[in-house]
Amino acid sequence: MAKEGAVAAKTLARLCLYRRILTALHAEGVPSIYSHQLAEQAGATAAQVRRDLMATGYSGTPSRGYGVQELIASLGRFLDAPEGQGVALVGIGNLGRALLAYFTHRRPKLWIAAAFDTDPQKTGRVIHGCRCFALTELADIVAEHRLRLGVVAVPAASAQAVADQLIQAGILGLLNFAPIRLRVPKQIYVEDIDLTMSLETVAFFAHRQAQMEEDGS
Amino acid sequence: MAKEGAVAAKTLARLCLYRRILTALHAEGVPSIYSHQLAEQAGATAAQVRRDLMATGYSGTPSRGYGVQELIASLGRFLDAPEGQGVALVGIGNLGRALLAYFTHRRPKLWIAAAFDTDPQKTGRVIHGCRCFALTELADIVAEHRLRLGVVAVPAASAQAVADQLIQAGILGLLNFAPIRLRVPKQIYVEDIDLTMSLETVAFFAHRQAQMEEDGS
DNA sequence: TAGATTGTTAATCGATTAACAATC
DNA sequence: TAGATTGTTAATCGATTAACAATC
């Protein structure tokens, strides 16, 4: 909920999406792109793309649009921490392990540096290339590796305690998969991913569509 | 993107959240609740709660607020398909298997009825209680079980083809984990969960906060 | 120059917030 | 009755969309 400064979370999300699209285009050798082309691929409007890109400080030209390579570089300067950022993942259950696999080599400037769990069966190992520690070691490891990001992949009952520990250890941003609203200081950014809620939302609209189709026929 | 009728996706998400909170309160024996109490727990405002609940057709009273049990029932009538809805999951990789485990018994009216993959090593088995089929069997199974919901947990390269197949089979709502924008007919509801984008958003704000703290000190 | 695209400003739209009479 | 909460309407806020001069 901590909406910092001038960049809205929606704009941020779109910028990440643009970069992904541009990276693919760059690999194909595309030198430049117009806003409406990028918009088409991103599911946005050309005006949105132009406004979003202005936030990064990069300008296009009317004749050639935006240079793909330069724009990727500009997005990198805007979005990334130059030295990269390690992530502390807490919760090595089914979801936690899937996230370990998923985020491995997904972004060059973001990696899961350490995973934590209270279950001694799960700690002391290396899973998907990531070392797993006891939760009691959290503060030390976070400090040692100067981690700023945390992923909460534990059951709802322990999520708040885990978030408190992460913040106490110096974490500044959280990606939370637990289906509760975390109470955090206002300078901490929390992004919630609520899998059940998302599926329920889909279920609602699908059920409604089914009813409409029944009524219509 | 198919925003159907009068209920905004944001309201929907909050209603799901309210129900979860209310269910916990009901288990504790709480008989009734005021909007500001529910708002407090949901991270919303009291006015939002009252407006959201009006959409479900249930009314509170000034003296007692909202009856917890009645409200849960009302939310159920509004949100759920009475007969429940089965889900077709496509992609039995790390993420797909985690989702199978996660959604098992998570909501009484929502269950993953069948999982699909192209890899013969993964099909013909039962994982977390769910039968796994070859993707070629998708249309038959979806029709047989009258599935309306699909989860796309395959790599980006095959996501559009999978979505097309699901929609062709009769699916009306999609939960998409692939990091691309799916092209679907307008009556199909798509909810995107983009894990990388979410982590990148957290990373941006955390990096920014770190810089602000450096500048400040 | 002509034409399409850019950055920028004004208008629109929708959701949130504030205000208030009605109610228990 | 007094007081707090409810459902409802008006005002505010922010983002999206439309409009347009500047630019290549």
Side-chain angles (χ1 to χ4, degrees):
Chain A
M1 281 288 135
K3 192 154 107 191
E4 306 292 337
V7 186
K10 277 192 182 179
T11 300
L12 246 293
R14 284 197 300 258
L15 288 175
C16 296
L17 183 56
Y18 301 154
R19 174 159 70 169
R20 189 182 295 150
I21 293 166
L22 290 163
T23 304
L25 290 170
H26 184 59
E28 294 171 18
V30 176
S32 63
I33 190 170
Y34 293 123
S35 58
H36 64 87
Q37 293 172 315
L38 190 48
E40 161 79 11
Q41 290 204 45
T45 67
Q48 271 179 330
V49 169
R50 291 203 297 273
R51 192 166 45 75
D52 291 342
L53 292 185
M54 279 170 53
T56 71
Y58 180 77
S59 287
T61 63
S63 54
R64 305 210 170 169
Y66 302 88
V68 170
Q69 191 165 14
E70 297 90 322
L71 188 46
I72 290 171
S74 179
L75 284 165
R77 282 191 299 275
F78 185 76
L79 293 171
D80 295 330
E83 70 282 7
Q85 296 189 83
V87 180
L89 168 72
V90 184
I92 317 178
N94 287 300
L95 183 59
R97 285 196 301 275
L99 294 172
L100 275 176
Y102 191 88
F103 286 123
T104 300
H105 303 307
R106 186 68 61 160
R107 292 293 319 157
K109 302 280 188 181
L110 287 175
W111 59 87
I112 298 186
F116 300 88
D117 205 298
T118 51
D119 184 352
Q121 299 253 317
K122 294 172 179 166
T123 57
R125 296 193 289 158
V126 174
I127 300 180
H128 296 299
C130 177
R131 288 192 62 189
C132 300
F133 301 91
L135 196 55
T136 49
E137 302 176 82
L138 181 70
D140 288 345
I141 305 280
V142 166
E144 185 187 333
H145 295 278
R146 302 179 187 281
L147 306 181
R148 285 199 288 250
L149 310 177
V151 175
V152 178
V154 301
S158 42
Q160 183 62 56
V162 163
D164 292 343
Q165 267 193 272
L166 283 163
I167 292 165
Q168 184 63 38
I171 288 289
L172 296 174
L174 289 172
L175 182 59
N176 173 45
F177 287 88
I180 62 159
R181 182 153 297 259
L182 298 174
R183 314 280 164 136
V184 302
K186 70 174 190 307
Q187 73 274 16
I188 307 292
Y189 184 85
V190 179
E191 173 102 3
D192 292 297
I193 293 183
D194 190 327
L195 297 171
T196 308
M197 185 191 288
S198 294
L199 186 60
E200 284 182 286
T201 301
V202 176
F204 173 84
F205 286 116
H207 173 51
R208 197 151 124 141
Q209 181 65 29
Q211 283 188 313
M212 282 169 60
E213 288 182 4
E214 273 178 33
D215 296 350
S217 63
Chain B
M1 280 290 134
K3 191 155 103 190
E4 306 292 338
V7 186
K10 277 192 183 180
T11 300
L12 245 294
R14 284 198 300 258
L15 289 174
C16 296
L17 183 56
Y18 301 154
R19 174 159 70 170
R20 189 183 295 150
I21 294 166
L22 290 162
T23 303
L25 290 170
H26 183 58
E28 293 171 18
V30 176
S32 63
I33 190 169
Y34 293 123
S35 58
H36 64 86
Q37 295 172 314
L38 190 50
E40 160 81 11
Q41 290 204 46
T45 67
Q48 271 179 331
V49 169
R50 292 203 297 272
R51 193 166 44 74
D52 291 342
L53 293 184
M54 279 170 53
T56 71
Y58 179 76
S59 288
T61 63
S63 55
R64 305 207 168 170
Y66 302 87
V68 170
Q69 190 164 14
E70 297 91 322
L71 188 46
I72 291 172
S74 179
L75 284 165
R77 283 191 298 274
F78 185 77
L79 294 171
D80 295 332
E83 69 283 8
Q85 296 188 82
V87 180
L89 169 73
V90 184
I92 318 178
N94 288 299
L95 183 59
R97 286 195 300 273
L99 293 172
L100 275 176
Y102 190 88
F103 285 124
T104 300
H105 304 306
R106 186 67 63 160
R107 292 292 320 156
K109 302 280 188 180
L110 287 175
W111 59 88
I112 298 185
F116 300 89
D117 205 296
T118 50
D119 183 352
Q121 299 253 315
K122 292 172 180 167
T123 57
R125 296 194 289 160
V126 174
I127 301 180
H128 296 298
C130 177
R131 289 193 62 189
C132 300
F133 299 92
L135 196 57
T136 50
E137 302 177 81
L138 181 71
D140 287 344
I141 305 280
V142 165
E144 184 189 332
H145 295 277
R146 300 179 189 281
L147 305 181
R148 284 199 289 248
L149 309 177
V151 175
V152 178
V154 300
S158 41
Q160 183 63 57
V162 163
D164 293 344
Q165 266 192 275
L166 283 163
I167 292 164
Q168 183 63 38
I171 289 290
L172 296 174
L174 289 172
L175 182 59
N176 173 44
F177 287 88
I180 62 157
R181 180 153 298 261
L182 298 175
R183 314 281 164 134
V184 302
K186 69 175 191 307
Q187 74 273 17
I188 307 292
Y189 184 86
V190 179
E191 173 101 4
D192 291 297
I193 294 184
D194 191 327
L195 298 170
T196 307
M197 184 191 288
S198 294
L199 186 60
E200 285 182 286
T201 302
V202 175
F204 174 84
F205 287 116
H207 172 50
R208 197 151 126 142
Q209 180 65 28
Q211 283 189 314
M212 282 168 60
E213 288 182 4
E214 273 179 33
D215 295 350
S217 63

